[in-house]
Amino acid sequence: MEISFYKYEGTGNDFVMVDNRGLIFPKEDHALVKHLCDRRFGIGGDGLILLENDVDADFKMVYYNSDGNLSSMCGNGGRCIVAFAKQLGLIAEHTVFSAVDGIHHATIFDHNTVSLQMSDVSDIDIQSDYVFLNTGSPHHVTLVDDLSKIDVKIQGSQIRYGHLYGDAGSNVNFVKQIDNASLL
């Protein structure tokens, strides 16, 4: 099988992009998705994104995490798929597309900057040692005093796949509060 792909990067996240309007990609083959995203033996990427036709929007975004599983909305991936749709000639400066969490609006300005509207956050769960919110994808946010002392890979994985989120997992963010209006 031969599949054309593109590689996009948005704010440090990189994605394998496939124009799947012809429904040629074997979406049920999660092992293939995982292999394509593998950084040592595949193309490498934080995820795979399929651009598909949609009857109610300009296009549809189907997002897989690098582990091969379907995932929730990814903001950086959303920005990349908008740029991809423009490259394919599907859109000009403004677009409406669908994703797993619903309809999104986006605008491209200055030729390559994408402004993406995410879902409104309706519920924020504030705990003593973290905050949880869903922006279209789940986010666990932990405030820390010293970011340099955090082993993001180990501590992030323990939270992401721990008792709080189970198999579904969550994005995990460690942030330091600089002042009342700034986080790092």
Side-chain angles (χ1 to χ4, degrees):
M1 169 179 34
E2 187 173 302
I3 298 173
S4 296
F5 70 91
Y6 299 79
K7 187 85 179 276
Y8 274 70
E9 178 270 331
T11 318
N13 291 128
D14 60 333
F15 306 96
V16 177
M17 311 291 284
V18 175
D19 178 356
N20 198 38
R21 289 176 288 166
L23 300 177
I24 57 163
F25 191 87
K27 297 185 337 182
E28 69 287 343
D29 191 345
H30 298 271
L32 174 62
V33 174
K34 183 176 181 177
H35 175 73
L36 293 174
C37 292
D38 188 289
R39 294 194 184 280
R40 294 180 61 194
F41 299 106
I43 299 163
D46 292 315
L48 176 126
I49 301 176
L50 303 177
L51 184 144
E52 297 184 348
N53 292 318
D54 190 279
V55 295
D56 298 320
D58 295 326
F59 59 90
K60 178 180 180 180
M61 172 184 174
V62 180
Y63 176 63
Y64 294 84
N65 274 328
S66 62
D67 64 4
N69 292 309
L70 273 169
S71 188
S72 57
M73 174 61 180
C74 172
N76 288 334
R79 292 174 43 246
C80 288
I81 200 166
V82 169
F84 185 43
K86 183 170 182 173
Q87 178 186 341
L88 294 173
L90 298 177
I91 63 168
E93 284 80 33
H94 303 283
T95 188
V96 175
F97 70 94
S98 69
V100 68
D101 65 328
I103 296 293
H104 292 270
H105 299 265
T107 303
I108 299 177
F109 56 96
D110 293 336
H111 302 292
N112 64 0
T113 301
V114 178
S115 174
L116 173 66
Q117 175 236 345
M118 295 294 289
S119 299
D120 290 338
V121 176
S122 60
D123 188 31
I124 300 174
D125 181 14
I126 300 173
Q127 299 294 319
S128 61
D129 55 344
Y130 70 92
V131 174
F132 178 81
L133 57 132
N134 193 329
T135 63
S137 63
H139 283 77
H140 173 107
V141 181
T142 298
L143 288 173
V144 297
D145 293 326
D146 188 350
L147 290 169
S148 68
K149 292 185 178 181
I150 300 295
D151 186 328
V152 174
K153 176 83 172 145
I154 291 174
Q155 290 176 264
S157 291
Q158 289 171 345
I159 295 169
R160 178 179 178 93
Y161 300 111
H163 71 280
L164 288 174
Y165 307 111
D167 291 338
S170 176
N171 291 304
V172 177
N173 304 272
F174 298 101
V175 297
K176 177 179 178 167
Q177 187 163 358
I178 305 300
D179 55 43
N180 287 336
S182 302
L183 299 171
L184 177 64

